[in-house]
Amino acid sequence: MPMTKKLLGQGGMTFTNAFVTNPVCCPSRASILTGLYPHNTQVFNNSRRPGDGGCSPWRFLTFLEHYGYNRFLHQHNYHPIDDQAQRELDLGKDWQLVYDNEGNSDPPKGVRQTFNEKLLRHSRASNATGHEYMTFHSGKYHNEYCCYGPKGWDVWKTHDKNSKFYNYKIIDENWQEKWYGMREDEYLTDKIKDWSLEFLKNYQEFAKKNVQKGQQTEREGNVAPFLMVLSVPAPHNPFQAAPRHSNATQHLPPAPRTPNFGRCGAENSDKHTPVNRATCLSYSQLKHIDESYRGRLGTLMSVDETIHQIHEFIDKNMSMLDNTYFIFTSDNGYHLGQNGLMYEKRMPYETDIRVPFYIKGPGIRPNSFYDGIVLNIDIAPTLVDLAKGFVPPHVDGRSLLPVLFSKSNPNDAIRFVDERFLVEYYGEAYGEHNRHLAIHTSNGEHPAYEHTPADAWNNTYKCIREIERTKGDVLGKIYCEFICFDAGKVPSPCPEGSVEANGEFYNLDHDPWQIKNQWHSLPQQQISKYRNLIRSFSTCQTAVNCDKFRYGQVDL
């Protein structure tokens, strides 16, 4: 993505140690929305089944959306209702009928306001009280999303369920559903770009008319600010590039053959299930990995174009570049052939938990780098702090404003600071008869998984990922503990002597590709420290409490 790297990376700040607290779509998106760790969102994987993953419309509707960053921007002086039980009781079985009667600034279902009416309402409120933002969301929301327009979004053009680039259903803010992608020119990323530019053009036209007619809401030029979220599914499967990029995709390089690529059998015996059950990759699987890698890069060509065109429109057409912030990141990393696994995420390794992260905007030093740990739970508090000047008290993450606007090099402040965070994931399996046999696919979309695992119940873990700079760390370390289950998916003791019964530990400054599990080399005192950290992190709520373990030396 050369244009994105130039515009946002060279034009702003690059975060070299950006991570997610859960390496899969739905839990990470829940954390991005709310600023909460998975143990506080209670979304642990992509399953919606009761008592399992927590990825359900009901969970988002009755809790998570109430704490979303967009609600704080969309309505002045917004305060969430903390009593979830009361919210569920109020919603009841006919929740769709009463969802829009909670008394906030959204109109009831069926009362459709035009774009200009919404923007005028926010502008008037901004003058009378404090900034209210005109809000836009397009693309993917979460894996099980369907059938309604969440509160706090003025324009909502969002994908039903999971990702497809053609033949997909979009739900709007009025709960109307429409199918797209029946024509070649309705490639999903391009439609997201079109809807985004339409939003900006409408916003610009409203502002021009107000100024021309002298109809400023209360004082000169005070049109409500806007928030745009482009949640492009790319490079998610099915790895289908836009037709205009299909030829270029064929000439892209194969998947990188990293030092841990294709390891299998006895080479992975010191790793947990399903990694230690992975068979060696066949020629056809290697070929499929390369095709998938090229396809993924191909889908990102359209994303690169989209970011460039929106950046150019805000700059050249709206002249608002000096008043606009851009944030670019991902909801998880990815592995392609590492440790003998095909293509997926879900693992507690660097390939899966590391993500790209750029922020550009006024006051941020161009071509700057920050080496401190930055998490997906830091996005919500940063957005609210940028827009409204405060951090919501419920969040577990931290606002990045002190880093972004530091008058000196922000790395100086962390030169001798230890940092750490919790990674937590619950393994998925569908129709699994043996808890040690990994499923072939999480959603039936991976035919190449015929002999390669994607996930397993015993791929349930909590890890401490840390950088102890007081001990000379640069890349840092990761320590993982695992939870085992019986055939009924009830937690049970892990088999004695198994990797799951012990754990995994890697010092990335000595072993950056996490090839050799060094758990057995740890002194008992260090094992006890990590176990205590996991217990403490697993129950922490709010940044005030979570920061006690996130920063500084810890001797538990």
Side-chain angles (χ1 to χ4, degrees):
M1 301 181 66
M3 290 185 287
T4 300
K5 289 181 179 179
K6 180 178 180 180
L7 291 172
L8 307 189
Q10 296 178 23
M13 182 174 286
T14 299
F15 297 86
T16 60
N17 282 310
F19 298 90
V20 293
T21 53
N22 182 302
V24 75
C25 319
C26 194
S28 186
R29 288 168 179 268
S31 291
I32 290 171
L33 179 69
T34 62
L36 298 174
Y37 266 113
H39 63 264
N40 289 325
T41 66
Q42 291 294 296
V43 182
F44 293 106
N45 60 40
N46 287 341
S47 173
R48 65 182 294 173
R49 292 175 295 170
D52 201 357
C55 183
S56 69
W58 183 256
R59 182 65 180 164
F60 276 76
L61 173 66
T62 60
F63 176 59
L64 300 175
E65 289 166 8
H66 210 51
Y67 290 88
Y69 58 78
N70 62 300
R71 302 294 292 271
F72 293 90
L73 274 63
H74 187 254
Q75 182 179 341
H76 175 65
N77 202 28
Y78 173 74
H79 295 287
I81 298 173
D82 289 323
D83 189 347
Q84 182 178 345
Q86 183 61 47
R87 283 178 53 76
E88 292 182 3
L89 182 64
D90 291 344
L91 287 168
K93 63 180 181 179
D94 297 323
W95 63 270
Q96 286 183 318
L97 302 178
V98 299
Y99 174 54
D100 282 289
N101 296 321
E102 294 180 347
N104 77 2
S105 61
D106 284 327
K109 180 182 178 183
V111 179
R112 301 185 183 183
Q113 290 185 316
T114 65
F115 182 98
N116 284 356
E117 287 172 337
K118 292 177 182 178
L119 186 49
L120 181 62
R121 171 166 56 88
H122 287 305
S123 298
R124 285 174 171 166
S126 293
N127 287 309
T129 54
H131 280 321
E132 280 194 6
Y133 278 67
M134 185 76 171
T135 54
F136 168 95
H137 183 284
S138 185
K140 179 178 176 179
Y141 187 36
H142 66 80
N143 298 58
E144 298 294 340
Y145 164 71
C146 71
C147 58
Y148 71 97
K151 282 186 174 295
W153 297 103
D154 293 300
V155 179
W156 179 261
K157 299 284 190 180
T158 300
H159 198 296
D160 176 74
K161 297 289 194 306
N162 214 337
S163 311
K164 289 192 294 184
F165 293 101
Y166 282 105
N167 193 26
Y168 52 89
K169 183 166 65 176
I170 294 294
I171 302 169
D172 70 13
E173 65 274 12
N174 296 311
W175 303 26
Q176 300 300 302
E177 301 177 353
K178 184 176 179 179
W179 286 91
Y180 292 88
M182 311 302 179
R183 304 195 313 262
E184 186 175 288
D185 63 351
E186 290 185 337
Y187 184 73
L188 177 59
T189 305
D190 293 341
K191 289 300 297 181
I192 293 173
K193 176 192 67 180
D194 292 344
W195 289 320
S196 303
L197 291 173
E198 179 184 20
F199 175 89
L200 293 175
K201 291 173 184 176
N202 288 337
Y203 182 93
Q204 182 185 31
E205 187 64 25
F206 175 90
K208 285 181 177 178
K209 287 181 179 179
N210 271 3
V211 171
Q212 290 170 357
K213 295 180 179 180
Q215 295 179 352
Q216 294 86 352
T217 50
E218 299 295 339
R219 63 179 184 268
E220 179 73 20
N222 193 356
V223 178
F226 64 84
L227 165 73
M228 288 179 58
V229 177
L230 281 66
S231 186
V232 291
H236 198 283
N237 66 6
F239 315 142
Q240 184 177 9
R244 64 184 177 278
H245 297 138
S246 58
N247 288 336
T249 301
Q250 302 304 314
H251 302 288
L252 293 170
R257 267 41 176 185
T258 58
N260 57 353
F261 184 92
R263 289 175 62 85
C264 57
E267 294 177 312
N268 286 336
S269 61
D270 61 349
K271 292 177 170 58
H272 70 291
T273 301
V275 183
N276 60 22
R277 301 296 176 115
T279 56
C280 296
L281 296 170
S282 66
Y283 172 79
S284 62
Q285 288 175 316
L286 290 170
K287 182 179 178 182
H288 196 80
I289 287 173
D290 290 337
E291 291 172 350
S292 300
Y293 178 72
R294 294 185 182 103
R296 285 169 61 80
L297 293 180
T299 67
L300 292 175
M301 292 178 180
S302 299
V303 179
D304 202 31
E305 294 171 348
T306 294
I307 292 171
H308 176 259
Q309 290 184 39
I310 289 173
H311 186 280
E312 287 294 286
F313 189 90
I314 291 174
D315 182 17
K316 305 293 174 54
N317 295 67
M318 303 177 74
S319 299
M320 290 183 64
L321 203 58
D322 61 351
N323 196 30
T324 303
Y325 290 91
F326 297 82
I327 300 178
F328 176 88
T329 190
S330 178
D331 54 355
N332 51 255
Y334 215 71
H335 58 256
L336 291 119
Q338 283 72 34
N339 294 312
L341 303 179
M342 283 289 291
Y343 49 81
E344 250 285 355
K345 45 257 185 176
R346 307 171 187 269
M347 298 297 157
Y349 305 128
E350 294 291 284
T351 50
D352 296 24
I353 64 175
R354 274 190 177 270
V355 292
F357 204 125
Y358 306 124
I359 301 183
K360 173 188 177 177
I364 300 173
R365 191 177 304 167
N367 202 28
S368 55
F369 295 84
Y370 181 63
D371 299 327
I373 288 177
V374 173
L375 305 174
N376 55 350
I377 60 174
D378 297 331
I379 295 173
T382 299
L383 282 170
V384 179
D385 200 9
L386 267 174
K388 307 300 285 280
F390 71 92
V391 174
H394 73 273
V395 299
D396 300 328
R398 302 268 297 181
S399 169
L400 298 176
L401 264 62
V403 172
L404 295 171
F405 302 126
S406 174
K407 296 186 182 301
S408 59
N409 186 342
N411 291 306
D412 292 341
I414 60 164
R415 197 173 304 280
F416 301 105
V417 174
D418 296 343
E419 297 182 278
R420 62 192 62 80
F421 66 96
L422 179 69
V423 186
E424 44 193 339
Y425 177 72
Y426 280 23
E428 288 184 88
Y430 293 81
E432 185 179 77
H433 299 292
N434 186 321
R435 64 189 182 278
H436 298 300
L437 294 179
I439 60 172
H440 294 154
T441 161
S442 62
N443 55 14
E445 297 176 357
H446 298 295
Y449 279 173
E450 183 180 356
H451 300 293
T452 306
D455 203 355
W457 287 350
N458 286 5
N459 185 39
T460 297
Y461 53 80
K462 294 185 179 184
C463 304
I464 297 296
R465 177 67 172 88
E466 69 174 348
I467 302 177
E468 290 186 296
R469 296 186 181 89
T470 59
K471 297 181 180 179
D473 285 1
V474 176
L475 296 177
K477 314 174 184 76
I478 188 166
Y479 175 96
C480 296
E481 288 187 347
F482 299 89
I483 300 172
C484 295
F485 299 90
D486 63 19
K489 203 171 186 185
V490 176
S492 60
C494 297
E496 186 175 354
S498 66
V499 175
E500 292 87 356
N502 298 320
E504 293 188 36
F505 174 80
Y506 303 92
N507 185 325
L508 286 95
D509 286 298
H510 301 149
D511 182 13
W513 296 102
Q514 297 167 281
I515 290 174
K516 181 63 176 176
N517 179 7
Q518 296 290 338
W519 185 90
H520 288 283
S521 69
L522 289 176
Q524 187 58 46
Q525 183 180 8
Q526 196 168 356
I527 292 174
S528 297
K529 183 196 87 166
Y530 284 124
R531 288 177 174 173
N532 289 334
L533 273 171
I534 287 174
R535 282 195 292 269
S536 299
F537 258 121
S538 296
T539 57
C540 78
Q541 293 181 320
T542 77
V544 172
N545 293 306
C546 296
D547 282 358
K548 296 176 183 177
F549 315 108
R550 181 170 177 175
Y551 298 104
Q553 291 179 286
V554 175
D555 294 307
L556 297 175

